[in-house]
Amino acid sequence: MNAPHQPAAAGDYKVADLSLADWGRKEIDIAEHEMPGLMSIRGKHAATTPLKGVRVTGSLHMTIQTAVLIETLKDIGANVRWASCNIFSTQDHAAAAIAATGTPVFAWKGETLEEYWDCTLDALSFPDGKGGFLGPQLVVDDGGDVTLLIHKGYELEQGDESWVNSPSGSHEEQVIKNLLKRVAKERPGYWTRVVADWKGVSEETTTGVHRLYQLAEADKLLVPAINVNDSVTKSKFDNLYGCRESLADGLKRALDVMLAGKVAVVCGYGDVGKGCAASLRAYGARVIVTEIDPICALQAAMEGYEVTTVEDTLGEADIYVTTTGNKDIIRVEHMTAMKDQAIVCNIGHFDNEIQVDALKALAGVKQVNIKPQVDKYVFASGNAIFLLAEGRLVNLGCATGHPSFVMSNSFSNQTLAQIDLWAHKDRYENRVYILPKKLDEEVARLHLEKIGVKLTRLTAAQADYLGVPVEGPYKPEHYRY
Amino acid sequence: MNAPHQPAAAGDYKVADLSLADWGRKEIDIAEHEMPGLMSIRGKHAATTPLKGVRVTGSLHMTIQTAVLIETLKDIGANVRWASCNIFSTQDHAAAAIAATGTPVFAWKGETLEEYWDCTLDALSFPDGKGGFLGPQLVVDDGGDVTLLIHKGYELEQGDESWVNSPSGSHEEQVIKNLLKRVAKERPGYWTRVVADWKGVSEETTTGVHRLYQLAEADKLLVPAINVNDSVTKSKFDNLYGCRESLADGLKRALDVMLAGKVAVVCGYGDVGKGCAASLRAYGARVIVTEIDPICALQAAMEGYEVTTVEDTLGEADIYVTTTGNKDIIRVEHMTAMKDQAIVCNIGHFDNEIQVDALKALAGVKQVNIKPQVDKYVFASGNAIFLLAEGRLVNLGCATGHPSFVMSNSFSNQTLAQIDLWAHKDRYENRVYILPKKLDEEVARLHLEKIGVKLTRLTAAQADYLGVPVEGPYKPEHYRY
Amino acid sequence: MNAPHQPAAAGDYKVADLSLADWGRKEIDIAEHEMPGLMSIRGKHAATTPLKGVRVTGSLHMTIQTAVLIETLKDIGANVRWASCNIFSTQDHAAAAIAATGTPVFAWKGETLEEYWDCTLDALSFPDGKGGFLGPQLVVDDGGDVTLLIHKGYELEQGDESWVNSPSGSHEEQVIKNLLKRVAKERPGYWTRVVADWKGVSEETTTGVHRLYQLAEADKLLVPAINVNDSVTKSKFDNLYGCRESLADGLKRALDVMLAGKVAVVCGYGDVGKGCAASLRAYGARVIVTEIDPICALQAAMEGYEVTTVEDTLGEADIYVTTTGNKDIIRVEHMTAMKDQAIVCNIGHFDNEIQVDALKALAGVKQVNIKPQVDKYVFASGNAIFLLAEGRLVNLGCATGHPSFVMSNSFSNQTLAQIDLWAHKDRYENRVYILPKKLDEEVARLHLEKIGVKLTRLTAAQADYLGVPVEGPYKPEHYRY
Amino acid sequence: MNAPHQPAAAGDYKVADLSLADWGRKEIDIAEHEMPGLMSIRGKHAATTPLKGVRVTGSLHMTIQTAVLIETLKDIGANVRWASCNIFSTQDHAAAAIAATGTPVFAWKGETLEEYWDCTLDALSFPDGKGGFLGPQLVVDDGGDVTLLIHKGYELEQGDESWVNSPSGSHEEQVIKNLLKRVAKERPGYWTRVVADWKGVSEETTTGVHRLYQLAEADKLLVPAINVNDSVTKSKFDNLYGCRESLADGLKRALDVMLAGKVAVVCGYGDVGKGCAASLRAYGARVIVTEIDPICALQAAMEGYEVTTVEDTLGEADIYVTTTGNKDIIRVEHMTAMKDQAIVCNIGHFDNEIQVDALKALAGVKQVNIKPQVDKYVFASGNAIFLLAEGRLVNLGCATGHPSFVMSNSFSNQTLAQIDLWAHKDRYENRVYILPKKLDEEVARLHLEKIGVKLTRLTAAQADYLGVPVEGPYKPEHYRY
């Protein structure tokens, strides 16, 4: 019942159990069938290998689907190193299968935070053949941890020690600072060399993208970045339809709980919240939404959800799901006031949506581990709550994340972004770009045949009437889908 | 059973039957209760009257909801003249109630095309007190007919006679040309004077907005324009939730047809198509979607709709709804191949989505009028189809259009746009603008209390973490909702 | 805007306006296409005319669909007289079309209660050619009014005057008593002669069936009765899917109200309530259910509805719909405590689910008629509610009732029941029967082809494994579907 | 990754791994919170112990929920022995927890058929203290295997050897015959003694109930039986809402497949099929239904599902689910013609809905095991299908079956049935009984508070009007819910 805590490192990889490679490979084969976009890109670019020899570091949940992404990047020429971007999200058989092919991968389910950031560094460290390390030329990021590490390391080497020496707001923050101090000793000037070679990053997630825009606005972004999250075929598919499939999967594998008849609170009604709410309602739960944004709140109301505050649901709701990208959504004072045996989980990128540290520190609280990623916290009052995946992404911590087909959309965008960044490395500025709509439509198009969709084709007269090319793109930039 | 064809014109208005004014007023009272956004704007600006004395021409379906919009514009100072923007969309009791208050309105249900364009001209013609006419200073447009007329009239007065003398692709086109020729004789230089005073237009609909962007791109746009359609609180509410309510209403009032068990084809899966498909499915119809855009097609597939071509549905489907904004979607060869007694209708802005003229001209076809806006066309084969509202907006032709609450969102945007255009008339260029997100959020906010929504409020720390103001706006411009 | 109050009686009929017959006929033609079950029965029995010369009285909403039922009964030989079973449910063009064919029909939209019961008597009175009247041999009943009248008349003629002389609980009750006293004078012994010829009744509705079982249990039932309501193809179709289509239709035609975002209370979660709740939710309303039965309440909860009492929703809910078959569900003290401009309506068979009489009698209340079947009641507090169809069936009072296709199921059962009653008139006892499952399946089967359903056929080996005939019936009697 | 094949038998039990008992106990604790019906019955009868000393054999999926049932039976006095009713459905931690309490349980996930039937015999064999065995006085059955074994054993001891010596249609049939022959040698006269003590059986499932009615009709039923399946709170909850939750759970845990956009075929539209179809559609799959029964087919059509034959979906559908209770639904010739990598599974009680034996025997087929209960069969053509749980119940084989809350309904009925059978053992005949509606309502009532439902209470006047007791039961026997 315990997740492995000692990776069976042997060659240039660290994974839980290499003997799982065969099983992983079987599931990769199945996933390839469900990922027509990636496979098509592979087919199209395998001959020209646009990323030939390019050093690519990936920091992205090490799942079966990611394995297909990794092998796509390799097929088009890249030299890949990989880490997961979450301590619980690795599927060990996927990591094993990748390691077995000789690709350096550093990831296992249930890392400590120290191990996690060491893995991130490992994924960044391309041996230079002389005992030293080169950095990546491109980064595939999810949540921005690699981007953060390089920026913070570079800042330190530029002589700004204020951050590493400041008091830390969380344990994780201190772990990063410790790592940077260690690197400063072991590899002097390393981050400056990394930045010199670094040509770009493509970022997957709302939260990571938000960080990138903040860096760009502050004029601190060190490379061109492509915002993959806001491709329509990412945000309106992965975030929405992905969560519609994987939230319930996480809840079910964690607690086998009946959703029908339950009162479920979804905090946030963005794309992720929309997918979560739709799924819970479809199971027969009564869904209550919380929102800060009046437009999203009105959308929720138009779909028939009650919209109110977390406070107003305490004692009534059975399940809480945070989806906001914001912090301190479910606070300790909420948790102690919940209905006995309420379930609390998060499906936003970071775990600070729920005050987990404060929960653990609460006087009189007793933590009972039910099984990996499922904990019961019993309060002094006798009431208890269930916390899933320690507040980290419940779909990846308690289940296997989004299914392959929707990830094929996201990862097709990632791959096209990587190709684009490399192709235009001399032209792009250190800003945040979005992929052109034509590519967005192309990603969609690559997924239609697999599910039997037959498109209508514009006549020339119709295209002329609309003032769009017959082949697209079809919509103005501001179109919302 | 017959719609009135002779307006009971008396003073400066033309409506079907002034005696309907009392009934209209009662329904306006009810609508005001359902339109909190408009009423709130009224309350806020009634004292300062930001449109004081401004001549405003409206071309927008003359319904009960529009009556509330008109009276809001008047309350904030405007001098209003109004026409409908569709020959079938007027609610005669609404028009009567407006006429009864002394506001010039030119609209009745069942106009001929000649009458329709005359009404549009009437709405444009503000008596100058000397027997002549001034034009509007602001225009509220829906579909762009007023904008078209002014632009075409101005072009003619600029000496370019090519268009008015070219062969017409439709009867309506010829009607417009005839009107312009008549005005040229009766009011020489009129359009040039109109353009001199004209300060801006706010446009309501996808189709009209599309026209505006085309004018702007061609550098022919004569005034600043505000694209109201693409306010989130318009396109993602009116187009989507409005149609989700009013399509079935049109079908039911037209034919009382059972929707459960039927096969329904929705052509186009934009916001309007999404609303229509959701509604039909909820009634138990099996919905098939047609699309040209791979992204929208993939969205439809993710919702479980079959996506194929119109051709592939012929003989199988019972109901066809066009929502595309494009032309020639349902063609004569489609209609003759449909299942016997299939229902064909359109909910896109213009009636050219269905080839109605060609249908009427088809050899051997026999038209049987069932009741106003419901016609049966019997083919030589013996099979028949039902055509609703002669291919014009079925929700307005056969029912009463969108309900008040959602129109309050759209019309709040219209009103804010009118105020904005006038306030910034000296600053805006002849381009197409979108209302700032702050106003969009404000429109949403004005509608929350009425339906019992309770918003969560960001803490300062959370706002800081997100990098947004506590009061909003909350989302980046590219956010799609 | 006014419903006709004086029927244009001429021959042996009373209808609102005979000139509507052409329009009615066109809609009957359309309905025939949507009623494959009835048309198939017509085709099958037209030659053998199993009801040849049989006097049939119908008391059932005089709609377009009922017109197809009437003509089916006539086609298979019956001598038919008809009245509506609700003062608001007649479609005047349907009644006109039936009258125009020479069938005696007594029905118009907006009858007084006195007129209503006179019409019922007219429908019962087959001229005997000698200036007197015969009664029906078979009755098609909906709600049991004809059955009630005959039983009460017979009781009176048997010498039991207790009921007709007792104080009346409602105005309607007194109207019935007055009628019976008048008949007693004008047609002595009439009811006894009627009962002598009467061979059976088929009853359509939950409420009417409930009355029949009560009569049978009390050993007072005078004829064999067939409970058509509890054919699966009636109760699980008409009640559920019919209301899912027609409730919103009634609300929309009455008030054009936006349903999305509203809080709607559905009282009762039987088949009718299930259909209503599903419809309202699909429109984006938040639905609250009230129930007395724990099983139905648990079903509602499993579908994600909040289940609570009417009292707990006052001030929060916008729309109330009663579906219970019980009385005093919405009481005056509820109505005065509702949110301003709440909408109150009933879709159960009788109008006593809402305390309309008490509402009208309330001190300080002011009734404002908006249009036929839509009234605003303004309370002394200044708050108001809208009452639809005076508390009678909102779908029939404010719209046109259920659509044809689902009524074809119900009416096929009615027709088969009439044939069955006549065929077995010598064998049946004075009990309540249900149609055999084989006929129930047959009714379903008759409707499949029209909507493109392709059934799988059991192999002999499979049928043997299941222990059922290849041709059905397939399920045990207790099966619930 | 391998399921245990050697039970760690020690005392009077056989389970996979007794060390899982602690984990099982934690989950039993959680389940108790979700099973208010069972816990309430426990509380009510713990003092009176109505089953005091009664020997009860259970043959029912050995899950966490069943553990709560077992401990409820023990709490009310029973002497329990248990086996699972499916080779894949046991949750090993649940079995361990039960074994750890000293209750004899014989069940592990992944039994062979020989082991399965041996376990069934073990569960039937109560040590008599003299080295021999007594049989059960009551049986809790699911699918009827215990009932079958006793009846067949008794038949053999009555001298009818025809069945045990006949050729077997399946491997399992032969396993049963071999077992009976062995018992005949080892325990002469055993079944006759068992039958002498046996007082009744309560049966859980549609399929088992069907067998009971067949026995009763053939006058071969040896004891009174209670049909628990057709309690409303079982068939309309467990079958419908249970499968709505657990089908997708099985699919997800087996293959992590994206359901949105897939074409899924649900064979059978009974309660189980209704739940499966609703779930798949909610995930965004396009659902096609197959049916033999015209009524169920029409229901499916009214919900907007395409209804056609399996044959018509081959090459188009991605997922097949059988729910019929019939055999040979998915045949080998279907599987070889399916789309590459189609998923095939069953959620009906028995595995003969899919021709698994014939699939395995097919020339050229290659079986690739992906993980336990997930197999890929590659055909000679190169195409493949995935078969889940070897055709056995996919929700129990690949996930953990229905969630606790719905099982609390089913098992409350089971427990009430056991109490009822014992209480009336001297009065009941060897027929199939259904629990009285009052108990059915009581089971529902016990589950309302947990999910916050507030019932409305009839007034005396209302109850009188309806002719029902204020406390219920509220509906006639034929009511379908």
Side-chain angles (χ1 to χ4, degrees), chain D residues 7-23:
Chain D
D12 190 8
Y13 62 83
K14 288 184 197 155
V15 300
D17 180 356
L18 201 61
S19 76
L20 302 175
D22 276 359
W23 175 32

PDB file of all heavy atoms in Angstrom, chain D residues 7-23:
ATOM      1  N   PRO D   7      -5.160 -18.330  -1.707  1.00  0.00           N
ATOM      2  CA  PRO D   7      -5.686 -17.662  -0.518  1.00  0.00           C
ATOM      3  C   PRO D   7      -4.856 -18.038   0.699  1.00  0.00           C
ATOM      4  O   PRO D   7      -4.390 -19.164   0.834  1.00  0.00           O
ATOM      5  CB  PRO D   7      -7.095 -18.218  -0.390  1.00  0.00           C
ATOM      6  CG  PRO D   7      -7.044 -19.526  -1.091  1.00  0.00           C
ATOM      7  CD  PRO D   7      -6.044 -19.394  -2.180  1.00  0.00           C
ATOM      8  N   ALA D   8      -4.675 -17.051   1.532  1.00  0.00           N
ATOM      9  CA  ALA D   8      -3.915 -17.293   2.753  1.00  0.00           C
ATOM     10  C   ALA D   8      -4.811 -17.889   3.826  1.00  0.00           C
ATOM     11  O   ALA D   8      -5.024 -17.301   4.882  1.00  0.00           O
ATOM     12  CB  ALA D   8      -3.286 -15.988   3.220  1.00  0.00           C
ATOM     13  N   ALA D   9      -5.382 -19.059   3.543  1.00  0.00           N
ATOM     14  CA  ALA D   9      -6.308 -19.669   4.498  1.00  0.00           C
ATOM     15  C   ALA D   9      -5.574 -20.078   5.760  1.00  0.00           C
ATOM     16  O   ALA D   9      -4.467 -20.559   5.717  1.00  0.00           O
ATOM     17  CB  ALA D   9      -6.976 -20.882   3.881  1.00  0.00           C
ATOM     18  N   ALA D  10      -6.199 -19.863   6.853  1.00  0.00           N
ATOM     19  CA  ALA D  10      -5.571 -20.241   8.118  1.00  0.00           C
ATOM     20  C   ALA D  10      -6.634 -20.865   9.005  1.00  0.00           C
ATOM     21  O   ALA D  10      -6.669 -22.078   9.212  1.00  0.00           O
ATOM     22  CB  ALA D  10      -4.963 -19.015   8.778  1.00  0.00           C
ATOM     23  N   GLY D  11      -7.554 -20.032   9.490  1.00  0.00           N
ATOM     24  CA  GLY D  11      -8.630 -20.565  10.299  1.00  0.00           C
ATOM     25  C   GLY D  11      -9.780 -20.963   9.389  1.00  0.00           C
ATOM     26  O   GLY D  11      -9.571 -21.520   8.302  1.00  0.00           O
ATOM     27  N   ASP D  12     -10.993 -20.657   9.810  1.00  0.00           N
ATOM     28  CA  ASP D  12     -12.177 -21.023   9.043  1.00  0.00           C
ATOM     29  C   ASP D  12     -12.486 -19.909   8.047  1.00  0.00           C
ATOM     30  O   ASP D  12     -13.531 -19.268   8.099  1.00  0.00           O
ATOM     31  CB  ASP D  12     -13.350 -21.246  10.014  1.00  0.00           C
ATOM     32  CG  ASP D  12     -14.553 -21.868   9.304  1.00  0.00           C
ATOM     33  OD1 ASP D  12     -14.415 -22.250   8.127  1.00  0.00           O
ATOM     34  OD2 ASP D  12     -15.623 -21.940   9.942  1.00  0.00           O
ATOM     35  N   TYR D  13     -11.558 -19.647   7.151  1.00  0.00           N
ATOM     36  CA  TYR D  13     -11.745 -18.622   6.123  1.00  0.00           C
ATOM     37  C   TYR D  13     -10.703 -18.827   5.046  1.00  0.00           C
ATOM     38  O   TYR D  13      -9.683 -19.496   5.273  1.00  0.00           O
ATOM     39  CB  TYR D  13     -11.624 -17.221   6.722  1.00  0.00           C
ATOM     40  CG  TYR D  13     -10.266 -16.916   7.329  1.00  0.00           C
ATOM     41  CD1 TYR D  13      -9.199 -16.483   6.519  1.00  0.00           C
ATOM     42  CD2 TYR D  13     -10.049 -17.053   8.698  1.00  0.00           C
ATOM     43  CE1 TYR D  13      -7.953 -16.225   7.072  1.00  0.00           C
ATOM     44  CE2 TYR D  13      -8.813 -16.800   9.254  1.00  0.00           C
ATOM     45  CZ  TYR D  13      -7.765 -16.382   8.436  1.00  0.00           C
ATOM     46  OH  TYR D  13      -6.538 -16.132   8.967  1.00  0.00           O
ATOM     47  N   LYS D  14     -10.934 -18.284   3.910  1.00  0.00           N
ATOM     48  CA  LYS D  14      -9.922 -18.239   2.853  1.00  0.00           C
ATOM     49  C   LYS D  14      -9.956 -16.844   2.233  1.00  0.00           C
ATOM     50  O   LYS D  14     -10.928 -16.483   1.555  1.00  0.00           O
ATOM     51  CB  LYS D  14     -10.204 -19.276   1.775  1.00  0.00           C
ATOM     52  CG  LYS D  14      -9.943 -20.715   2.216  1.00  0.00           C
ATOM     53  CD  LYS D  14     -10.157 -21.645   1.030  1.00  0.00           C
ATOM     54  CE  LYS D  14     -10.327 -23.087   1.496  1.00  0.00           C
ATOM     55  NZ  LYS D  14     -11.105 -23.877   0.498  1.00  0.00           N
ATOM     56  N   VAL D  15      -8.919 -16.082   2.473  1.00  0.00           N
ATOM     57  CA  VAL D  15      -8.844 -14.738   1.879  1.00  0.00           C
ATOM     58  C   VAL D  15      -7.453 -14.536   1.291  1.00  0.00           C
ATOM     59  O   VAL D  15      -6.546 -15.342   1.530  1.00  0.00           O
ATOM     60  CB  VAL D  15      -9.140 -13.628   2.913  1.00  0.00           C
ATOM     61  CG1 VAL D  15     -10.534 -13.800   3.502  1.00  0.00           C
ATOM     62  CG2 VAL D  15      -8.094 -13.627   4.019  1.00  0.00           C
ATOM     63  N   ALA D  16      -7.286 -13.450   0.546  1.00  0.00           N
ATOM     64  CA  ALA D  16      -6.022 -13.238  -0.163  1.00  0.00           C
ATOM     65  C   ALA D  16      -4.893 -12.883   0.793  1.00  0.00           C
ATOM     66  O   ALA D  16      -3.791 -13.407   0.698  1.00  0.00           O
ATOM     67  CB  ALA D  16      -6.198 -12.133  -1.199  1.00  0.00           C
ATOM     68  N   ASP D  17      -5.169 -11.981   1.715  1.00  0.00           N
ATOM     69  CA  ASP D  17      -4.070 -11.455   2.528  1.00  0.00           C
ATOM     70  C   ASP D  17      -4.647 -10.830   3.790  1.00  0.00           C
ATOM     71  O   ASP D  17      -5.181  -9.716   3.752  1.00  0.00           O
ATOM     72  CB  ASP D  17      -3.311 -10.406   1.697  1.00  0.00           C
ATOM     73  CG  ASP D  17      -2.147  -9.802   2.461  1.00  0.00           C
ATOM     74  OD1 ASP D  17      -1.959 -10.126   3.660  1.00  0.00           O
ATOM     75  OD2 ASP D  17      -1.413  -9.003   1.848  1.00  0.00           O
ATOM     76  N   LEU D  18      -4.505 -11.553   4.884  1.00  0.00           N
ATOM     77  CA  LEU D  18      -5.129 -11.100   6.124  1.00  0.00           C
ATOM     78  C   LEU D  18      -4.542  -9.779   6.612  1.00  0.00           C
ATOM     79  O   LEU D  18      -5.190  -9.033   7.353  1.00  0.00           O
ATOM     80  CB  LEU D  18      -4.971 -12.186   7.203  1.00  0.00           C
ATOM     81  CG  LEU D  18      -5.961 -12.106   8.376  1.00  0.00           C
ATOM     82  CD1 LEU D  18      -7.390 -12.255   7.890  1.00  0.00           C
ATOM     83  CD2 LEU D  18      -5.652 -13.200   9.405  1.00  0.00           C
ATOM     84  N   SER D  19      -3.351  -9.452   6.130  1.00  0.00           N
ATOM     85  CA  SER D  19      -2.714  -8.208   6.598  1.00  0.00           C
ATOM     86  C   SER D  19      -3.426  -6.975   6.051  1.00  0.00           C
ATOM     87  O   SER D  19      -3.135  -5.853   6.459  1.00  0.00           O
ATOM     88  CB  SER D  19      -1.241  -8.182   6.195  1.00  0.00           C
ATOM     89  OG  SER D  19      -1.130  -7.888   4.818  1.00  0.00           O
ATOM     90  N   LEU D  20      -4.328  -7.175   5.119  1.00  0.00           N
ATOM     91  CA  LEU D  20      -5.087  -6.037   4.596  1.00  0.00           C
ATOM     92  C   LEU D  20      -6.255  -5.657   5.510  1.00  0.00           C
ATOM     93  O   LEU D  20      -7.019  -4.736   5.207  1.00  0.00           O
ATOM     94  CB  LEU D  20      -5.630  -6.353   3.197  1.00  0.00           C
ATOM     95  CG  LEU D  20      -4.583  -6.713   2.125  1.00  0.00           C
ATOM     96  CD1 LEU D  20      -5.281  -7.120   0.826  1.00  0.00           C
ATOM     97  CD2 LEU D  20      -3.655  -5.525   1.869  1.00  0.00           C
ATOM     98  N   ALA D  21      -6.403  -6.389   6.604  1.00  0.00           N
ATOM     99  CA  ALA D  21      -7.586  -6.211   7.452  1.00  0.00           C
ATOM    100  C   ALA D  21      -7.703  -4.796   8.023  1.00  0.00           C
ATOM    101  O   ALA D  21      -8.801  -4.231   8.080  1.00  0.00           O
ATOM    102  CB  ALA D  21      -7.571  -7.231   8.596  1.00  0.00           C
ATOM    103  N   ASP D  22      -6.573  -4.221   8.417  1.00  0.00           N
ATOM    104  CA  ASP D  22      -6.640  -2.873   8.991  1.00  0.00           C
ATOM    105  C   ASP D  22      -7.170  -1.850   7.991  1.00  0.00           C
ATOM    106  O   ASP D  22      -8.017  -1.032   8.310  1.00  0.00           O
ATOM    107  CB  ASP D  22      -5.240  -2.424   9.444  1.00  0.00           C
ATOM    108  CG  ASP D  22      -4.927  -2.950  10.834  1.00  0.00           C
ATOM    109  OD1 ASP D  22      -5.806  -3.631  11.418  1.00  0.00           O
ATOM    110  OD2 ASP D  22      -3.809  -2.691  11.310  1.00  0.00           O
ATOM    111  N   TRP D  23      -6.626  -1.905   6.803  1.00  0.00           N
ATOM    112  CA  TRP D  23      -7.084  -1.012   5.749  1.00  0.00           C
ATOM    113  C   TRP D  23      -8.578  -1.250   5.467  1.00  0.00           C
ATOM    114  O   TRP D  23      -9.367  -0.307   5.369  1.00  0.00           O
ATOM    115  CB  TRP D  23      -6.230  -1.245   4.490  1.00  0.00           C
ATOM    116  CG  TRP D  23      -6.676  -0.467   3.282  1.00  0.00           C
ATOM    117  CD1 TRP D  23      -7.267   0.761   3.265  1.00  0.00           C
ATOM    118  CD2 TRP D  23      -6.585  -0.871   1.916  1.00  0.00           C
ATOM    119  NE1 TRP D  23      -7.530   1.142   1.979  1.00  0.00           N
ATOM    120  CE2 TRP D  23      -7.109   0.162   1.123  1.00  0.00           C
ATOM    121  CE3 TRP D  23      -6.083  -2.008   1.277  1.00  0.00           C
ATOM    122  CZ2 TRP D  23      -7.175   0.083  -0.263  1.00  0.00           C
ATOM    123  CZ3 TRP D  23      -6.126  -2.095  -0.113  1.00  0.00           C
ATOM    124  CH2 TRP D  23      -6.674  -1.042  -0.872  1.00  0.00           C
TER     125      TRP D  23
END
